Amino acid sequence: MTNTELTATSTALRIPRPASPYQGDIARYWDGEARPVNLRLGDVDGLYHHHYGIGEVDHAALGDPEDSTSEKKLIAELHRLESAQADVLLGNLGEIGADDTLVDAGCGRGGSMVMAHQRFGCKVEGVTLSAKQADFANGRAAELGLQDHVRARVCNMLATPFETGSVAASWNNESSMYVDLHDLFAEHSRMLEVGGRYVTITGCWNPRYGQPSKWVSQINAHFECNIHSRREYMRAMADNRLVPQTVIDLTPDTLPYWELRATSSLVTGIEEAFINSYRDGSFQYVLIAADRV
């Protein structure tokens, strides 16, 4: 067996059970992912995210487009916007104490977990299907001396190891489109304490449009995911004792990020689908914060 075969086999064995064939595909997808748009943005300050950004672009920070440092400044601005998105999510978790435990479901390379610990001083647990992402996140936490407070594990977010009612708050940041929402919210409802807060930021197709648009279909194909409708989120939360307290339409706030990204060297080919679907109303970017009752 070659080293390459051994590595592939070892990674496959770390896909958590129970896992569907689809989840196995997603684990392999993210184990093999190394997009510059994720890594180069994270290199700005060591916070590696797997979500998009919100807020107005600081054009003064971009400087002169003819300047030799303009691309570096553009990347820094994109990263500032994605960290701003994480800040908004964390700001909707409610009152969190240093003795609390938070769960990031679909934690990626761990940037939001580090931000959560820095903000609240609490323990943050992350779960991901990707062994590569978990290893990266744990390595980064160790570099920051946070290994006793921030941990990622290879785990199915639909069947986590956390005790019932043991979690103060939990979230999905652009990761809920990889799972069935009823199964997902049943698991969040189980692990959250009564009164605990769940937050998601996600793209969802707009029921008023009628059906997923061609742009939404392109996004699904690009990321091998299944984008849900806004109505599906509300229904699945209601069925699982999660009562929405805040719903924010972030669509106007995320368009500047996408329009700026489309001008960078980090384009992946999916920018047009996001921009057009946000503009025509077929796709929305929303934050939903719900309490466990």
Side-chain angles (χ1 to χ4, degrees), residues 2 22 52 54 57 63 71 76 87 134 149 156 161 174 182 205 210 215 232 242 250 263 279-280 283 285 293:
T2 67
Y22 171 74
Y52 309 125
I54 59 172
V57 173
E71 182 67 9
D87 268 330
H149 307 283
N156 182 351
E174 297 181 21
H182 279 84
W205 64 269
W215 305 117
E232 289 174 280
L242 294 171
L250 296 171
T263 69
R279 286 177 177 170
D280 71 16
F283 195 44
Y285 197 55
V293 298

Side-chain angles (χ1 to χ4, degrees), residues 219-239:
I219 296 168
N220 276 334
H222 184 85
F223 292 106
E224 299 183 22
C225 64
N226 179 35
I227 292 167
H228 307 288
S229 72
R230 181 167 174 167
R231 183 178 298 149
E232 289 174 280
Y233 280 91
M234 297 304 186
R235 184 181 299 123
M237 285 185 181
D239 289 345

Side-chain angles (χ1 to χ4, degrees), residues 5-278:
E5 290 169 338
L6 178 61
T7 300
T9 302
S10 300
T11 300
L13 290 173
R14 293 183 64 185
I15 297 173
R17 301 290 187 263
S20 67
Y22 171 74
Q23 288 174 310
D25 288 343
I26 296 305
R28 286 181 282 274
Y29 174 92
W30 287 109
D31 278 339
E33 181 274 334
R35 288 194 182 95
V37 72
N38 292 321
L39 296 172
R40 287 184 63 190
L41 267 62
D43 286 343
V44 171
D45 62 5
L47 291 172
Y48 292 86
H49 298 302
H50 281 273
H51 58 257
Y52 309 125
I54 59 172
E56 292 297 325
V57 173
D58 183 354
H59 292 282
L62 296 177
D64 186 347
E66 302 302 321
D67 192 304
S68 60
T69 63
S70 63
E71 182 67 9
K72 182 178 180 180
K73 292 177 179 177
L74 189 152
I75 289 171
E77 181 64 5
L78 287 172
H79 182 63
R80 183 185 70 81
L81 295 176
E82 64 176 1
S83 288
Q85 190 260 36
D87 268 330
V88 168
L89 187 152
L90 297 176
N92 279 273
L93 291 179
E95 295 296 325
I96 303 297
D99 293 330
D100 287 329
T101 296
L102 308 181
V103 172
D104 182 352
C107 64
R109 289 184 171 92
S112 295
M113 291 198 296
V114 171
M115 290 179 66
H117 172 73
Q118 291 173 338
R119 182 171 185 144
F120 302 116
C122 62
K123 183 177 181 180
V124 188
E125 297 273 5
V127 299
T128 173
L129 286 172
S130 168
K132 183 176 179 181
Q133 287 184 343
D135 289 345
F136 188 104
N138 288 331
R140 186 73 191 110
E143 290 171 358
L144 295 171
L146 302 178
Q147 64 271 19
D148 294 334
H149 307 283
V150 175
R151 175 176 61 168
R153 66 177 80 192
V154 182
C155 179
N156 182 351
M157 71 170 76
L158 304 181
T160 68
F162 310 115
E163 293 184 8
T164 298
S166 65
V167 175
S170 59
W171 69 86
N172 287 93
N173 196 352
E174 297 181 21
S175 56
S176 56
M177 63 287 296
Y178 288 101
V179 293
D180 176 87
L181 290 182
H182 279 84
D183 292 342
L184 175 67
F185 294 151
E187 181 61 4
H188 279 285
S189 183
R190 183 197 65 78
M191 65 182 169
L192 282 169
E193 62 188 26
V194 173
R197 173 64 58 88
Y198 169 76
V199 178
T200 185
I201 293 182
T202 187
C204 55
W205 64 269
N206 186 355
R208 292 185 177 182
Y209 192 82
Q211 289 291 330
S213 68
K214 65 178 181 181
W215 305 117
V216 172
S217 296
Q218 286 183 22
I219 296 168
N220 276 334
H222 184 85
F223 292 106
E224 299 183 22
C225 64
N226 179 35
I227 292 167
H228 307 288
S229 72
R230 181 167 174 167
R231 183 178 298 149
E232 289 174 280
Y233 280 91
M234 297 304 186
R235 184 181 299 123
M237 285 185 181
D239 289 345
N240 288 285
R241 305 181 67 86
L242 294 171
V243 179
Q245 305 296 313
T246 303
V247 180
I248 304 173
D249 184 354
L250 296 171
T251 308
D253 301 292
T254 197
L255 257 174
Y257 165 88
W258 284 102
E259 291 167 344
L260 181 63
R261 176 167 148 174
T263 69
S264 76
S265 63
L266 302 178
V267 292
T268 63
I270 200 60
E271 288 77 14
E272 180 185 20
F274 276 93
I275 292 170
N276 288 336
S277 61
Y278 285 142

